[in-house]
């Protein structure tokens, strides 16, 4: 077990002939505390797999260092890093039994037969593989095989971190939530650091205590699911997390006060600024109908059962709002207000500190 630190990591793959060098990782500084359950969340192509491969040593970063408990591991071979990596598609020996598959990583490391058996049985039990333990892996379904892959990651007692790279891609949707909660439970049982890579916010938010959000080769925010929801540090986090995502609207700085869609909002940037242009970010959960607010047109209302999503429009900008069951939607001349405790200002994508002011 170890605390893993990525220091000033940058990575670029060799550029194709005649093309400019591009950075798959722009600059990453990140600590993974020993025993943590992390999700690494971001859209396809943002650098998640590159980051995992740098931790495991499959890739050497172009710049920066990888530290395990402050020891520089940047040039250390994968095998000596003691890491388990589970990939998108199952890696299973079809001709072996489930037992042999699970025992393989232990045999490989010279563990005694008498130590292997209880360990394999324990992991098989955790993954509900006990009944098929002596069946050939070839006969299993895709999710059965992926459970073996997960098991091969979990079975080794000596690993510093277990990394899962979108492991539920091949799993049937109705089994996904089962395996996801299983993994969370397994983390609580084994206590090993886990990094779970996904582009799916539901997967990330249900698995992890700490979510690391990546965007275009950078980590843009590290936080609990609640922090990411309540205080997105970057417009990407606001937009990517939540359903629907955060509303982002143009905003002007007039006499040091934020004006949005023709109205003064009652907030300002805390520190003196020269900036004229901001964006206001407010989640659909924190926009409400109010008699004294900004006049809008009501475009449409989607009834999603427990709540409705209303779409309103003004000055050519669409704003989504979540309207709880039992809350009224005005029939004419609707006006909206923002909950100022949950209204953020962004400059160049990044949140700035705000204070409430007289509008
Ligand atoms: P993710 O796992 O988040 O989808 P990746 O780490 O696979 O992202 O990719 C990050 C960026 O690096 C992408 O632009 C991708 O095209 C590029 N990339 C990934 N692997 C290679 C490679 N072997 N050679 C060149 N470019 C690559
Ligand atoms: Mg990937």
């Amino acid at each position: 077990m170890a605390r893993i630190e990525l220091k000033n990591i940058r990575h670029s793959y060799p550029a194709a002939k005649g093309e400019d060098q591009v950075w798959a990782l722009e600059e990453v500084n990140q600590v993974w505390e020993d025993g943590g359950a992390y999700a690494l969340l971001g859209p396809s192509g943002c650098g998640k797999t590159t980051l995992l491969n740098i931790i495991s040593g499959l890739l050497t970063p172009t710049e920066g260092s990888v530290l395990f408990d402050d020891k520089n591991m940047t040039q250390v071979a994968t095998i000596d890093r003691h890491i388990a990596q589970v990939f998108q598609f199952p890696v299973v020996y079809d001709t072996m039994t489930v037992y042999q598959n699970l025992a393989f990583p232990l045999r490989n490391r010279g563990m005694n037969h008498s130590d292997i058996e209880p360990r394999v049985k324990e992991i098989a039990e955790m993954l509900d593989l006990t009944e098929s333990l002596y069946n050939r892996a070839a006969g299993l379904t895709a999710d059965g095989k992926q459970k073996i892959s997960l098991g091969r990651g979990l079975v080794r007692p000596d690993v510093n971190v277990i990394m899962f790279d979108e492991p539920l891609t091949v799993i049937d949707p109705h089994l996904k939530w089962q395996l996801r909660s299983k993994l969370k439970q397994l983390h609580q049982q084994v206590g090993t650091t886990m990094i779970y890579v996904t582009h799916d916010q539901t997967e990330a938010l249900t698995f992890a205590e700490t979510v690391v959000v990546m965007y275009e080769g950078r980590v843009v925010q590290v936080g609990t699911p609640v922090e990411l929801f309540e205080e997105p540090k970057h417009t990407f986090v606001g937009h990517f997390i939540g359903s629907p995502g955060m509303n982002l609207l143009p905003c002007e700085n007039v006499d040091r006060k934020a004006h949005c869609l023709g109205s003064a909002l009652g907030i300002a940037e805390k520190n003196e600024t020269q900036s004229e242009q901001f964006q206001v970010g407010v989640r659909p959960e924190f926009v409400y109908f109010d008699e004294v607010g900004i006049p809008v047109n009501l475009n449409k209302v989607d009834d999603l059962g427990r709540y409705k999503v209303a779409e309103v429009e003004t000055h050519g900008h669409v704003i989504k709002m979540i309207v709880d069951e039992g809350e009224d939607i005005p029939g004419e001349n609707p006006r909206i207000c923002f909950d100022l405790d949950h209204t953020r200002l962004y400059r160049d994508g990044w949140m700035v500190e705000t204070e409430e002011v007289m509008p």
Side-chain angles (χ1 to χ4, degrees):
M1 306 269 281
R3 171 185 187 269
I4 296 174
E5 183 173 0
L6 300 176
K7 231 174 162 172
N8 305 326
I9 293 284
R10 305 190 77 201
H11 191 74
S12 101
Y13 292 96
K17 253 202 184 128
E19 281 181 20
D20 289 342
Q21 187 185 36
V22 285
W23 293 95
L25 294 178
E26 289 278 352
E27 168 95 49
V28 175
N29 287 286
Q30 178 66 32
V31 171
W32 316 85
E33 295 294 349
D34 196 0
Y38 295 92
L40 186 57
L41 173 68
S44 178
C46 73
K48 303 180 297 297
T49 297
T50 303
L51 196 68
L52 286 199
N53 289 342
I54 285 172
I55 295 175
S56 67
L58 293 176
L59 273 178
T60 306
T62 314
E63 292 176 20
S65 33
V66 180
L67 311 177
F68 286 13
D69 287 334
D70 296 326
K71 187 166 171 255
N72 194 335
M73 303 292 280
T74 320
Q75 303 300 331
V76 172
T78 300
I79 184 142
D80 298 320
R81 295 194 190 193
H82 303 290
I83 280 173
Q85 205 166 354
V86 179
F87 300 94
Q88 213 164 354
F89 299 101
V91 180
V92 168
Y93 299 105
D94 268 343
T95 53
M96 293 186 188
T97 63
V98 173
Y99 183 98
Q100 288 165 332
N101 266 283
L102 293 177
F104 193 79
L106 302 180
R107 287 219 180 98
N108 232 359
R109 283 167 184 76
M111 196 188 260
N112 286 331
H113 177 74
S114 56
D115 294 330
I116 290 176
E117 189 171 356
R119 183 76 191 161
V120 166
K121 287 191 165 163
E122 185 188 348
I123 295 295
E125 189 64 38
M126 287 181 190
L127 287 167
D128 301 321
L129 285 169
T130 305
E131 279 178 22
S132 48
L133 205 48
Y134 302 102
N135 297 348
R136 281 236 305 237
L140 295 181
T141 56
D143 39 84
K145 288 184 183 175
Q146 190 62 331
K147 278 193 195 173
I148 299 179
S149 284
L150 296 173
R152 284 154 44 106
L154 292 160
V155 76
R156 290 165 54 190
D158 61 338
V159 296
N160 286 315
V161 55
I162 309 177
M163 305 195 292
F164 305 95
D165 197 349
E166 315 227 14
L168 304 185
T169 310
V170 294
I171 306 291
D172 252 24
H174 72 281
L175 280 173
K176 267 189 187 176
W177 70 269
Q178 272 184 10
L179 267 181
R180 200 163 60 216
S181 41
K182 192 103 226 171
L183 276 180
K184 188 168 183 163
Q185 197 186 328
L186 285 168
H187 175 262
Q188 281 152 5
Q189 285 171 18
V190 299
T192 310
T193 315
M194 292 188 183
I195 304 176
Y196 184 100
V197 169
T198 177
H199 62 265
D200 180 321
Q201 55 164 315
T202 314
E203 277 188 18
L205 301 178
T206 49
F207 172 76
E209 295 152 1
T210 307
V211 182
V212 177
V213 186
M214 281 186 77
Y215 174 60
E216 293 187 343
R218 290 177 192 276
V219 171
V220 287
Q221 188 167 0
V222 181
T224 62
V226 171
E227 286 164 350
L228 299 177
F229 180 78
E230 298 239 320
E231 200 156 275
K233 298 283 188 222
H234 192 277
T235 50
F236 173 76
V237 179
H239 154 84
F240 193 65
I241 291 175
S243 178
M246 185 179 237
N247 295 294
L248 288 165
L249 302 161
C251 170
E252 284 184 334
N253 190 13
V254 181
D255 299 333
R256 291 207 65 247
K257 291 171 188 171
H259 283 238
C260 174
L261 307 173
S263 299
L265 285 182
I267 52 171
E269 184 181 8
K270 204 166 194 169
N271 303 309
E272 195 68 43
T273 174
Q274 303 298 317
S275 236
E276 295 298 323
Q277 295 299 323
F278 288 98
Q279 275 186 303
V280 167
V282 56
R283 292 198 177 277
E285 287 83 351
F286 304 121
V287 185
Y288 53 93
F289 289 108
D290 193 59
E291 281 163 19
V292 294
I294 305 168
V296 292
N297 294 317
L298 183 61
N299 282 356
K300 63 169 184 171
V301 179
D302 288 328
D303 194 341
L304 301 182
R306 282 183 17 248
Y307 60 92
K308 299 186 179 84
V309 177
E311 189 187 291
V312 299
E313 190 174 344
T314 181
H315 295 74
H317 294 282
V318 165
I319 301 153
K320 297 202 167 164
M321 42 199 299
I322 288 183
V323 185
D324 288 330
E325 214 175 14
E327 233 178 283
D328 286 334
I329 296 179
E332 48 190 40
N333 303 327
R335 288 168 174 260
I336 58 163
C337 272
F338 302 159
D339 174 353
L340 289 187
D341 283 343
H342 292 97
T343 302
R344 313 285 171 215
L345 291 183
Y346 295 89
R347 196 189 323 126
D348 300 326
W350 294 96
M351 195 184 88
V352 295
E353 263 204 88
T354 51
E355 59 189 353
E356 290 201 21
V357 291
M358 291 296 289

